[in-house]
Amino acid sequence: MEDNIKLGNPVFNKMMFVLDKGITEQNHRDYRYENEELIQISKGIWAMPAYMKDNDDFSMFFIITQIDDGNTVVAFSTGEKKDEQFSLSNPMITGKGLNLLTKHNKDRAASILHFLNQISKAAEGNWRIVSE
């Protein structure tokens, strides 16, 4: 990534992390973050907690799915609890989600960025700039 495209900068909102291959029953455990594991929440849509704290109303989840152009992307959704119902927000692109998380917990956002960069270093995904 270019030097000015950094976590917390507005331009980072346009960064999307794209995996080289899709998530399957066979490989989903390869993408564990801390003690969390991807679970399939709908056909072709995988989710995993990225940030959840008991003393914070804000929560964020990884969402990994294939988009219209055939690429498998890492997006984020926030968790929303209304009464006893829990749902996920509409997904947001990777950079926008990490910038939102930075406002709540900079260390966790940096940890997730490091996690994604490790996937990139393993040649299993890459960052791309997209237009929203």
Side-chain angles (χ1 to χ4, degrees):
M1 282 191 288
E2 295 177 29
D3 287 344
N4 66 334
I5 303 176
K6 292 182 180 170
L7 186 61
N9 288 355
V11 70
F12 193 70
N13 284 338
K14 296 181 183 225
M15 297 304 295
M16 176 69 80
F17 195 80
V18 180
L19 294 173
D20 289 350
K21 59 185 176 192
I23 301 297
T24 65
E25 280 294 331
Q26 291 72 35
N27 73 1
H28 77 280
R29 287 184 181 93
D30 296 341
Y31 297 93
R32 293 174 61 98
Y33 177 69
E34 294 188 340
N35 293 323
E36 303 296 342
E37 185 175 302
L38 286 166
I39 58 166
Q40 192 167 15
I41 59 172
S42 188
K43 188 176 188 317
I45 302 173
W46 296 81
M48 171 174 63
Y51 176 80
M52 292 177 66
K53 298 284 184 215
D54 290 336
N55 58 350
D56 192 345
D57 288 339
F58 179 80
S59 61
M60 184 167 281
F61 294 81
F62 290 92
I63 302 294
I64 302 178
T65 191
Q66 191 176 61
I67 57 175
D68 292 341
D69 67 5
N71 285 306
T72 298
V73 299
V74 177
F76 289 99
S77 288
T78 55
E80 299 171 353
K81 188 172 183 180
K82 292 179 183 165
D83 300 319
E84 293 302 310
Q85 298 286 4
F86 182 83
S87 62
L88 294 173
S89 69
N90 285 332
M92 62 192 95
I93 68 172
T94 321
K96 188 172 186 177
L98 286 174
N99 275 350
L100 178 61
L101 180 56
T102 298
K103 295 175 184 176
H104 292 269
N105 189 309
K106 287 182 182 180
D107 291 340
R108 178 53 65 106
S111 173
I112 292 170
L113 178 60
H114 177 75
F115 169 71
L116 294 173
N117 285 338
Q118 292 300 316
I119 293 171
S120 180
K121 286 179 183 173
E124 294 180 15
N126 283 294
W127 288 100
R128 296 187 189 161
I129 195 157
V130 296
S131 56
E132 291 187 80

